[in-house]
Amino acid sequence: MGLMDFIKKQFIDIIQWTEDDNGVLAFRYPMQDFEIQYGASLTVRESQMAVFVNEGKVADVFGPGMYKLTTQTLPVLTYLKNWDKLFESPFKSDVYFFSTRQQIDQRWGTTQPVTIRDKDFGAVRLRAFGNYSYRVVDPKKFHTEISGTRERYTVTELDGQLRGLMLQHISDAVAQSGIPFLDLAANQVEFAKALQEATAPSFDALGLKLEMVTLQNVSLPEELQKILDQKIGMGMIGQNMGQFMQYQTAQAIPKLAEGVGSGGGGIAGDAMGLGAGLALGQTMAQQLQQGLAGASQAAAQGAAQGAAPIQPQPVSASADEVLLLLEKLGDLKAKGILTDEEFAAKKAELLKKLS
């Protein structure tokens, strides 16, 4: 029976791996009912490494090249098996190949907004996504920590873990880069570099090297983006609040007229309309007052300097402006936007400008 078992055994004299599928990180060479012939040839191609494992313990590691398997080329395995220098019998050992080429175009991105600290806005929730690439650089560590005795281990199986590591260090990268949120879009390369530096140690602990990180987009959730747009708009306005109020009033009037014309709006619409009407009346009164004050000041300066007297604007022109304003205020009152008391007060104020 022992002789039959010996006859059934097959001996391996060439060990090699040609990657027939993309995305394979680790591959266990098939060894069932096989033994390795003493002096067999091991071929490790570029972008590969090979590891011999004896009874669960990692023994010898081979880089690219062609090797003749003897006690000289397998020193750790020789020690583990207590071989003497004259040992020339077939032996059993698990052999694992690892792909060390770059695994490119791996995607990372935030499924939910991530909260970070920003020196301009305090706490900010942002979304970001990009690409990264990595490779296996320490097959012994990768075998021990990740792939184990699996027949093969692929990029897809590791994807979720690595994406989680990338997202885990976004806050660290923002703090390390020192780039304000508003400047992230213009400094994507610096932010990606900071993210790579923050995440690399976690990859190294798995026997991997994070080769490259790219940032394709960074943004705020929609509701925060609206608030940011308003803040940016206020910053652009600066100190010229008067012009901003005029602009806002002019923008609100068409919508107000549309709402009133359709008979809708409710209490909230009436309140908004009243605010817009008051703002309109105040803006018009301020413009008229500024125009009259400017004309009076110019006339006084011309008389003091002995210059030719400035011809005052005809009263009829000022009266026309007042009438135009009163007509507009009357329309607002007729639509129920202004009360009788508000219209009367504004009318008295405008007529007083002419006295």
Side-chain angles (χ1 to χ4, degrees):
M1 188 67 179
L3 179 61
M4 293 300 297
D5 291 340
F6 179 79
I7 294 175
K8 289 181 180 179
K9 287 182 179 179
Q10 301 184 50
F11 302 105
I12 301 173
D13 56 2
I14 297 177
I15 303 175
Q16 61 181 350
W17 176 45
T18 55
E19 300 180 49
D20 51 356
D21 292 325
N22 289 325
V24 178
L25 297 173
F27 169 77
R28 186 181 67 195
Y29 193 86
M31 284 292 183
Q32 186 175 2
D33 297 328
F34 283 82
E35 289 188 352
I36 301 173
Q37 184 71 40
Y38 183 84
S41 174
L42 170 67
T43 301
V44 182
R45 290 175 169 80
E46 292 289 346
S47 77
Q48 292 180 356
M49 294 188 77
V51 173
F52 279 71
V53 179
N54 177 62
E55 297 179 355
K57 294 183 178 180
V58 176
D60 298 282
V61 180
F62 294 87
M66 182 176 290
Y67 305 89
K68 183 179 181 181
L69 300 179
T70 64
T71 55
Q72 286 75 29
T73 56
L74 295 167
V76 179
L77 193 61
T78 299
Y79 172 78
L80 293 176
K81 288 184 173 292
N82 297 316
W83 290 337
D84 58 21
K85 296 182 180 179
L86 299 177
F87 178 82
E88 295 184 0
S89 299
F91 62 93
K92 292 187 69 67
S93 176
D94 292 325
V95 181
Y96 294 87
F97 284 89
F98 296 85
S99 174
T100 59
R101 62 188 177 89
Q102 282 198 54
Q103 306 299 325
I104 62 173
D105 196 27
Q106 306 302 309
R107 308 296 178 86
W108 67 270
T110 55
T111 55
Q112 298 294 332
V114 177
T115 302
I116 64 169
R117 289 191 176 275
D118 183 75
K119 61 183 181 181
D120 291 336
F121 299 100
V124 175
R125 292 188 301 134
L126 61 80
R127 302 179 187 271
F129 65 87
N131 293 8
Y132 68 97
S133 63
Y134 67 93
R135 70 171 81 235
V136 176
V137 293
D138 189 338
K140 181 177 180 180
K141 186 182 294 184
F142 185 79
H143 172 80
T144 303
E145 300 292 337
I146 302 296
S147 60
T149 60
R150 298 274 298 277
E151 181 179 350
R152 63 175 55 206
Y153 198 89
T154 65
V155 170
T156 303
E157 295 172 279
L158 192 58
D159 180 68
Q161 175 69 18
L162 298 185
R163 186 186 299 117
L165 292 177
M166 297 292 294
L167 300 181
Q168 178 181 342
H169 292 88
I170 286 183
S171 298
D172 298 335
V174 172
Q176 181 177 337
S177 66
I179 302 174
F181 171 77
L182 290 179
D183 298 331
L184 283 180
N187 295 273
Q188 293 186 5
V189 175
E190 288 78 3
F191 176 75
K193 182 178 179 181
L195 181 57
Q196 179 178 355
E197 293 175 353
T199 313
S202 297
F203 275 64
D204 181 70
L206 303 178
L208 306 173
K209 180 181 179 182
L210 183 58
E211 292 285 356
M212 182 178 63
V213 176
T214 64
L215 175 66
Q216 296 182 356
N217 180 267
V218 58
S219 62
L220 291 173
E222 183 177 355
E223 63 275 11
L224 292 181
Q225 186 64 51
K226 292 180 179 178
I227 297 175
L228 178 61
D229 290 342
Q230 292 177 357
K231 186 168 184 177
I232 292 174
M234 294 299 296
M236 295 174 64
I237 294 168
Q239 302 297 324
N240 201 343
M241 186 58 68
Q243 290 186 3
F244 176 70
M245 291 301 298
Q246 296 174 17
Y247 172 78
Q248 290 288 80
T249 302
Q251 292 293 316
I253 289 175
K255 296 181 180 179
L256 175 63
E258 180 180 353
V260 174
S262 61
I267 297 176
D270 293 342
M272 183 182 296
L274 176 59
L278 291 174
L280 175 64
Q282 292 173 359
T283 300
M284 292 179 175
Q286 290 173 1
Q287 291 178 342
L288 180 59
Q289 182 177 5
Q290 291 172 359
L292 294 174
S296 300
Q297 183 178 1
Q301 291 178 352
Q305 296 175 0
I310 299 176
Q311 296 295 331
Q313 295 182 355
V315 176
S316 58
S318 297
D320 290 341
E321 289 186 8
V322 172
L323 290 175
L324 179 61
L325 293 176
L326 289 175
E327 288 178 2
K328 291 182 179 179
L329 292 175
D331 291 338
L332 294 176
K333 183 175 73 71
K335 294 176 181 178
I337 299 174
L338 293 179
T339 65
D340 293 338
E341 292 78 4
E342 291 169 341
F343 174 76
K346 188 59 61 178
K347 176 181 177 182
E349 181 180 347
L350 292 175
L351 293 176
K352 187 178 179 181
K353 305 293 183 181
L354 300 177
S355 59

